[in-house]
PDB file of all heavy atoms in Angstrom:
ATOM      1  N   GLU Z  90       2.932  17.233   7.538  1.00 98.00           N
ATOM      2  CA  GLU Z  90       2.615  18.037   6.351  1.00 98.00           C
ATOM      3  C   GLU Z  90       1.967  17.119   5.326  1.00 98.00           C
ATOM      4  O   GLU Z  90       2.633  16.284   4.717  1.00 98.00           O
ATOM      5  CB  GLU Z  90       3.888  18.670   5.781  1.00 98.00           C
ATOM      6  CG  GLU Z  90       3.648  19.545   4.568  1.00 98.00           C
ATOM      7  CD  GLU Z  90       4.937  20.097   3.987  1.00 98.00           C
ATOM      8  OE1 GLU Z  90       5.889  20.343   4.759  1.00 98.00           O
ATOM      9  OE2 GLU Z  90       4.997  20.268   2.745  1.00 98.00           O
ATOM     10  N   LYS Z  91       0.651  17.228   5.163  1.00 96.00           N
ATOM     11  CA  LYS Z  91      -0.091  16.307   4.310  1.00 96.00           C
ATOM     12  C   LYS Z  91      -0.007  16.705   2.847  1.00 96.00           C
ATOM     13  O   LYS Z  91      -0.342  17.830   2.468  1.00 96.00           O
ATOM     14  CB  LYS Z  91      -1.569  16.264   4.730  1.00 96.00           C
ATOM     15  CG  LYS Z  91      -1.824  15.587   6.057  1.00 96.00           C
ATOM     16  CD  LYS Z  91      -1.334  14.147   6.105  1.00 96.00           C
ATOM     17  CE  LYS Z  91      -2.058  13.243   5.137  1.00 96.00           C
ATOM     18  NZ  LYS Z  91      -1.531  11.840   5.243  1.00 96.00           N
ATOM     19  N   ARG Z  92       0.434  15.773   2.053  1.00 94.00           N
ATOM     20  CA  ARG Z  92       0.409  15.914   0.603  1.00 94.00           C
ATOM     21  C   ARG Z  92      -0.362  14.753  -0.024  1.00 94.00           C
ATOM     22  O   ARG Z  92      -0.792  14.839  -1.163  1.00 94.00           O
ATOM     23  CB  ARG Z  92       1.834  15.940   0.044  1.00 94.00           C
ATOM     24  CG  ARG Z  92       2.693  17.072   0.614  1.00 94.00           C
ATOM     25  CD  ARG Z  92       4.101  17.021   0.058  1.00 94.00           C
ATOM     26  NE  ARG Z  92       4.953  18.072   0.619  1.00 94.00           N
ATOM     27  CZ  ARG Z  92       6.220  18.254   0.289  1.00 94.00           C
ATOM     28  NH1 ARG Z  92       6.796  17.446  -0.613  1.00 94.00           N
ATOM     29  NH2 ARG Z  92       6.923  19.228   0.840  1.00 94.00           N
ATOM     30  N   LEU Z  93      -0.500  13.665   0.722  1.00 93.00           N
ATOM     31  CA  LEU Z  93      -1.211  12.474   0.261  1.00 93.00           C
ATOM     32  C   LEU Z  93      -2.658  12.525   0.744  1.00 93.00           C
ATOM     33  O   LEU Z  93      -2.948  13.114   1.782  1.00 93.00           O
ATOM     34  CB  LEU Z  93      -0.530  11.213   0.802  1.00 93.00           C
ATOM     35  CG  LEU Z  93       0.934  11.024   0.423  1.00 93.00           C
ATOM     36  CD1 LEU Z  93       1.531   9.834   1.172  1.00 93.00           C
ATOM     37  CD2 LEU Z  93       1.071  10.810  -1.091  1.00 93.00           C
ATOM     38  N   PRO Z  94      -3.573  11.891   0.019  1.00 87.00           N
ATOM     39  CA  PRO Z  94      -4.979  11.921   0.424  1.00 87.00           C
ATOM     40  C   PRO Z  94      -5.230  11.090   1.678  1.00 87.00           C
ATOM     41  O   PRO Z  94      -4.563  10.090   1.925  1.00 87.00           O
ATOM     42  CB  PRO Z  94      -5.713  11.333  -0.784  1.00 87.00           C
ATOM     43  CG  PRO Z  94      -4.694  10.452  -1.445  1.00 87.00           C
ATOM     44  CD  PRO Z  94      -3.371  11.139  -1.248  1.00 87.00           C
ATOM     45  N   VAL Z  95      -6.209  11.530   2.476  1.00 85.00           N
ATOM     46  CA  VAL Z  95      -6.674  10.756   3.623  1.00 85.00           C
ATOM     47  C   VAL Z  95      -7.687   9.729   3.110  1.00 85.00           C
ATOM     48  O   VAL Z  95      -8.493  10.037   2.241  1.00 85.00           O
ATOM     49  CB  VAL Z  95      -7.323  11.684   4.672  1.00 85.00           C
ATOM     50  CG1 VAL Z  95      -7.832  10.888   5.865  1.00 85.00           C
ATOM     51  CG2 VAL Z  95      -6.322  12.742   5.124  1.00 85.00           C
ATOM     52  N   GLN Z  96      -7.636   8.500   3.624  1.00 78.00           N
ATOM     53  CA  GLN Z  96      -8.489   7.402   3.161  1.00 78.00           C
ATOM     54  C   GLN Z  96      -8.342   7.218   1.649  1.00 78.00           C
ATOM     55  O   GLN Z  96      -9.322   7.007   0.943  1.00 78.00           O
ATOM     56  CB  GLN Z  96      -9.952   7.650   3.518  1.00 78.00           C
ATOM     57  CG  GLN Z  96     -10.254   7.512   5.008  1.00 78.00           C
ATOM     58  CD  GLN Z  96     -11.742   7.562   5.308  1.00 78.00           C
ATOM     59  OE1 GLN Z  96     -12.498   8.273   4.654  1.00 78.00           O
ATOM     60  NE2 GLN Z  96     -12.161   6.825   6.310  1.00 78.00           N
ATOM     61  N   GLY Z  97      -7.120   7.275   1.172  1.00 85.00           N
ATOM     62  CA  GLY Z  97      -6.888   7.178  -0.267  1.00 85.00           C
ATOM     63  C   GLY Z  97      -6.389   5.824  -0.737  1.00 85.00           C
ATOM     64  O   GLY Z  97      -6.239   5.608  -1.934  1.00 85.00           O
ATOM     65  N   GLY Z  98      -6.083   4.912   0.193  1.00 89.00           N
ATOM     66  CA  GLY Z  98      -5.563   3.612  -0.213  1.00 89.00           C
ATOM     67  C   GLY Z  98      -4.083   3.629  -0.537  1.00 89.00           C
ATOM     68  O   GLY Z  98      -3.546   2.638  -1.035  1.00 89.00           O
ATOM     69  N   LEU Z  99      -3.401   4.745  -0.245  1.00 95.00           N
ATOM     70  CA  LEU Z  99      -1.965   4.859  -0.523  1.00 95.00           C
ATOM     71  C   LEU Z  99      -1.120   4.627   0.725  1.00 95.00           C
ATOM     72  O   LEU Z  99       0.095   4.805   0.695  1.00 95.00           O
ATOM     73  CB  LEU Z  99      -1.649   6.233  -1.126  1.00 95.00           C
ATOM     74  CG  LEU Z  99      -2.329   6.543  -2.464  1.00 95.00           C
ATOM     75  CD1 LEU Z  99      -2.006   7.968  -2.907  1.00 95.00           C
ATOM     76  CD2 LEU Z  99      -1.912   5.547  -3.542  1.00 95.00           C
ATOM     77  N   GLY Z 100      -1.763   4.246   1.816  1.00 94.00           N
ATOM     78  CA  GLY Z 100      -1.024   3.919   3.041  1.00 94.00           C
ATOM     79  C   GLY Z 100      -0.459   5.114   3.766  1.00 94.00           C
ATOM     80  O   GLY Z 100       0.504   4.981   4.532  1.00 94.00           O
ATOM     81  N   ALA Z 101      -1.041   6.302   3.581  1.00 94.00           N
ATOM     82  CA  ALA Z 101      -0.451   7.521   4.130  1.00 94.00           C
ATOM     83  C   ALA Z 101      -0.338   7.482   5.652  1.00 94.00           C
ATOM     84  O   ALA Z 101       0.718   7.805   6.211  1.00 94.00           O
ATOM     85  CB  ALA Z 101      -1.262   8.738   3.695  1.00 94.00           C
ATOM     86  N   GLY Z 102      -1.410   7.082   6.338  1.00 95.00           N
ATOM     87  CA  GLY Z 102      -1.370   7.047   7.796  1.00 95.00           C
ATOM     88  C   GLY Z 102      -0.343   6.068   8.322  1.00 95.00           C
ATOM     89  O   GLY Z 102       0.389   6.354   9.279  1.00 95.00           O
ATOM     90  N   SER Z 103      -0.258   4.907   7.678  1.00 96.00           N
ATOM     91  CA  SER Z 103       0.717   3.899   8.087  1.00 96.00           C
ATOM     92  C   SER Z 103       2.132   4.370   7.827  1.00 96.00           C
ATOM     93  O   SER Z 103       3.034   4.206   8.654  1.00 96.00           O
ATOM     94  CB  SER Z 103       0.450   2.586   7.334  1.00 96.00           C
ATOM     95  OG  SER Z 103      -0.830   2.084   7.629  1.00 96.00           O
TER      96      SER Z 103
END
Side-chain angles (χ1 to χ4, degrees):
E90 181 183 328
K91 290 302 296 180
R92 301 178 182 181
L93 301 173
V95 179
Q96 289 188 325
L99 298 176
S103 299

